[in-house]
Amino acid sequence: MRPIRKAVFPVAGLGTRFLPATKAMPKEMLPVVDRPLIQHVVDEAREAGIEHFIFVTGRNKAVIEDHFDRQFELEHTLTERQRRDELELLARDVPAPGTASFTRQQVPLGLGHAVWCARELVGQEPFALLLPDVLVQHNRGCLAQMIDAAGDLPDSANIIAVEKMPAERLHMYGVVGIGTRKGGLFSVTQMVEKPAREKAPSDLIITGRYILQPEIFGVLAAERRGAGDEIQLTDAMIELARTQPFYGLEFEGRAFDCGSKVGFLAANIAYALERDDIAPAMRAELKRLLGDG
Ligand code: G1P
């Protein structure tokens, strides 16, 4: 497969499930420990070798753009106070000049439409798509695992990350059908968005990490409405699968659906527990809260 240099982050969602926290602040800026959700996802892309970060934003999302810029007043104050550690921490997260682009989804017409809004910035090359609602915790990031797996696949391949989900939750996600398998990688025979329980082709859901060919934009341009009267990415992938191969990768690691309150809180605890500086105190607090400490 051709190298994957660009990643798209759809960050235009309204975040209604987290109101009132998201009334004036984008949900992508909610912290998981001390880094915004979107920063964790950008870290994953960067670790996978992504060079250009494309954000599809919306109104009230300007602070995301500010987050990925320098903050001179803050830097000045920290310099005066000789807070070198904090200065280094801030510098690490700022993308190199010219490597972050922002475009707006003007009307919330669904995930497929948000992805289509990135077409001019992506151009004619395969790209990664990372949904910032999903965090995957593992020492090798999910996208890096996908790019590793892509090595031997044909140039026209598309790859989606998948994970097992209990039957009673399948209807909340895209679900794939499983074809020929080699290790964690398999050919996808079908995709169904938010299937009724008896219609789910397997127990593997689409996790929110994709490597897609640029031909997806041509399909999305037709603006066909699907579930929820939205332009669904899954519908466009089904269409593209008629002419290009799709593969599923059962990645290693634990995924947190940070679009749900419990998933978000669990991610905070899990990420805190892997941090040397706070894990011991966190563990003690959890013990106390659960009543056996
Ligand atoms: C989207 C996709 C779905 C996928 C999910 C992962 O759904 O349409 O296929 O399983 O993300 O989080 P949404 O969460 O936007 O409803």
Side-chain angles (χ1 to χ4, degrees):
M1 192 188 263
R2 290 193 282 160
I4 311 298
R5 302 186 312 120
K6 299 183 179 182
V8 174
F9 305 88
V11 291
L14 295 177
T16 46
R17 274 186 276 183
F18 281 89
L19 283 171
T22 50
K23 185 179 169 195
M25 183 177 69
K27 65 172 173 177
E28 296 80 8
M29 292 302 294
L30 294 173
V32 172
V33 187
D34 49 12
R35 298 169 80 66
L37 199 43
I38 184 66
Q39 181 71 62
H40 286 279
V41 183
V42 166
D43 291 347
E44 181 189 326
R46 198 186 248 178
E47 182 205 322
I50 295 298
E51 296 165 8
H52 191 156
F53 306 87
I54 299 168
F55 299 85
V56 181
T57 73
R59 281 177 291 283
N60 296 326
K61 300 282 182 165
V63 311
I64 297 179
E65 201 164 336
D66 292 341
H67 176 76
F68 290 104
D69 194 3
R70 294 184 59 178
Q71 226 281 35
F72 284 105
E73 275 174 26
L74 180 60
E75 287 175 28
H76 178 75
T77 310
L78 290 173
T79 307
E80 273 189 339
R81 294 182 186 170
Q82 300 189 334
R83 304 284 289 265
R84 215 167 276 160
D85 289 354
E86 283 91 344
L87 278 166
E88 275 173 23
L89 185 94
L90 291 180
R92 269 207 306 272
D93 290 341
V94 179
T99 64
S101 301
F102 299 84
T103 188
R104 277 194 182 191
Q105 183 188 25
Q106 294 155 341
V107 197
L109 293 179
L111 177 60
H113 181 259
V115 172
W116 181 71
C117 289
R119 69 198 179 282
E120 294 291 335
L121 292 166
V122 171
Q124 289 305 311
E125 54 182 289
F127 63 99
L129 169 66
L130 298 97
L131 307 191
D133 272 355
V134 181
L135 286 189
V136 180
Q137 193 183 33
H138 195 260
N139 52 19
R140 183 124 180 97
C142 182
L143 183 63
Q145 293 179 43
M146 293 168 78
I147 290 177
D148 292 345
D152 299 332
L153 298 179
D155 271 358
S156 60
N158 297 266
I159 311 177
I160 45 191
V162 300
E163 67 180 295
K164 281 211 167 74
M165 190 56 68
E168 65 275 11
R169 305 197 59 200
L170 292 174
H171 68 278
M172 297 157 67
Y173 300 95
V175 182
V176 300
I178 309 166
T180 323
R181 193 189 255 280
K182 196 175 157 204
L185 196 68
F186 60 89
S187 59
V188 169
T189 55
Q190 56 172 314
M191 294 172 255
V192 193
E193 185 64 19
K194 307 201 167 60
R197 199 171 171 158
E198 62 285 358
K199 294 248 171 74
S202 76
D203 62 350
L204 292 181
I205 64 141
I206 300 174
T207 292
R209 299 288 186 271
Y210 313 72
I211 293 173
L212 296 169
Q213 296 297 328
E215 286 76 19
I216 194 80
F217 296 123
V219 182
L220 287 167
E223 295 197 3
R224 267 190 292 277
R225 306 286 180 115
D229 202 33
E230 292 190 339
I231 300 169
Q232 295 285 352
L233 178 66
T234 306
D235 291 344
M237 294 197 299
I238 293 168
E239 177 79 31
L240 188 59
R242 293 171 199 262
T243 51
Q244 291 184 348
F246 269 76
Y247 296 88
L249 177 71
E250 235 183 304
F251 57 90
E252 288 175 23
R254 163 117 208 240
F256 295 92
D257 181 356
C258 295
S260 84
K261 290 184 184 77
V262 172
F264 173 75
L265 294 170
N268 260 291
I269 295 170
Y271 278 68
L273 289 176
E274 71 167 11
R275 284 263 300 258
D276 292 342
D277 56 340
I278 46 180
M282 185 74 204
R283 209 164 271 129
E285 278 299 335
L286 284 172
K287 263 194 162 172
R288 214 161 55 86
L289 280 170
L290 296 172
D292 40 293

